[in-house]
């Protein structure tokens, strides 16, 4: 298991800006961005970049940026319970990211960041046969986000930046060894705030 470098960089940069009181800016043109703004996946640096609306339009086609940058989609789809136990990941709060090379990673948030495992790609394909929407998850930029902790039943296809926001919630609220009393209500509030959109 390793800590995801791209996720750690995103969380550190967001936390540093928040601590300094700096407004977020587009990482391409430096224009101010709204609190909710588009993101680009930077394949070369394996990170997510904040962008403004006008810059995001430049990357809404598949061939833009010579393949280095991909616009993170905005769709969210709530799924019925998905039998993710067949993927062999022993945690109840996890997100699965298909990769461009056909591999699939599972990332479970922790107070130190995201812990990453490689999932058996054949098991992912078998799961997608039982839940067809999973076959349409866009590599690198979308994920299956699952929360079954404390009896929760959340299964979502989300933009990968939603997963990073969820990890940031955990890091912000986690206290001590077990997480404390604030972290799980904050996670539930995060999932309650997800809404389907196409």
């Amino acid at each position: 298991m390793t800590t995801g470098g791209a996720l750690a960089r995103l969380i550190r940069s967001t936390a540093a800006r928040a601590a300094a009181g700096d407004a977020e800016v587009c990482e391409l043109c430096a224009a101010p961005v709204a609190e909710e703004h588009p993101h680009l996946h930077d394949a070369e640096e394996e990170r997510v970049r904040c962008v403004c609306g006008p810059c995001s339009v430049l990357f809404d086609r598949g061939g833009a940026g010579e393949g280095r940058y991909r616009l993170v989609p905005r769709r969210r789809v709530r799924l019925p319970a998905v039998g993710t136990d067949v993927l062999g990941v022993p945690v109840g709060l996890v997100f699965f990211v298909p990769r461009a090379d056909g591999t699939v990673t599972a990332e479970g948030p922790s107070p130190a960041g995201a812990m990453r495992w490689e999932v058996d790609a054949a098991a992912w394909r078998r799961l997608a046969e039982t839940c067809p929407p999973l076959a349409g998850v866009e590599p690198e930029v979308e994920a299956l986000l699952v929360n079954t902790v404390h009896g929760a039943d959340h299964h979502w296809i989300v933009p990968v930046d939603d997963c990073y926001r969820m990890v940031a919630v955990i890091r912000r609220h986690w206290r001590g060894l077990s997480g404390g009393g604030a972290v799980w209500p904050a996670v539930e509030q995060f999932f309650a705030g997800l809404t389907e959109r196409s």
Side-chain angles (χ1 to χ4, degrees), residues 46-128:
E46 292 190 21
R47 63 174 286 209
V48 173
R49 295 180 175 275
C50 300
V51 292
C52 63
C55 284
S56 74
V57 173
L58 301 172
F59 299 93
D60 69 353
R61 301 275 186 254
E66 298 180 349
R68 175 175 176 176
Y69 298 110
R70 290 188 56 212
L71 187 62
V72 176
R74 301 311 311 148
R75 78 173 177 136
R76 291 185 188 133
V77 180
R78 178 100 191 236
L79 301 174
V82 178
T84 54
D85 54 322
V86 300
L87 300 176
V89 176
V91 293
L93 182 57
V94 63
F95 55 97
F96 299 90
V97 183
R99 303 293 173 180
D101 64 3
T103 62
V104 179
T105 58
E107 299 188 35
S110 77
M115 305 305 288
R116 182 181 288 188
W117 300 264
E118 188 163 322
V119 172
D120 178 37
W124 174 263
R125 287 191 298 274
R126 287 193 299 273
L127 184 62

Side-chain angles (χ1 to χ4, degrees), residues 131-185:
C131 181
L134 292 181
V137 174
E138 290 192 42
E140 312 286 352
V141 293
E142 288 188 312
L144 169 63
L145 176 60
V146 176
N147 178 18
T148 58
V149 176
H150 301 308
D153 184 22
H154 298 286
H155 299 79
W156 288 84
I157 295 173
V158 296
V160 74
D161 53 357
D162 275 354
C163 301
Y164 298 162
R165 286 189 314 105
M166 187 262 308
V167 171
V169 165
I170 289 175
R171 289 194 65 177
R172 187 168 42 254
H173 294 282
W174 192 279
R175 299 292 180 270
L177 294 175
S178 65
V183 67
W184 299 115

Side-chain angles (χ1 to χ4, degrees), residues 16-37:
R17 281 194 302 272
D22 295 341
E24 286 191 280
V25 298
C26 176
E27 293 185 54
L28 296 182
C29 74
V33 295
E35 183 176 341
E36 185 144 340
H37 54 267

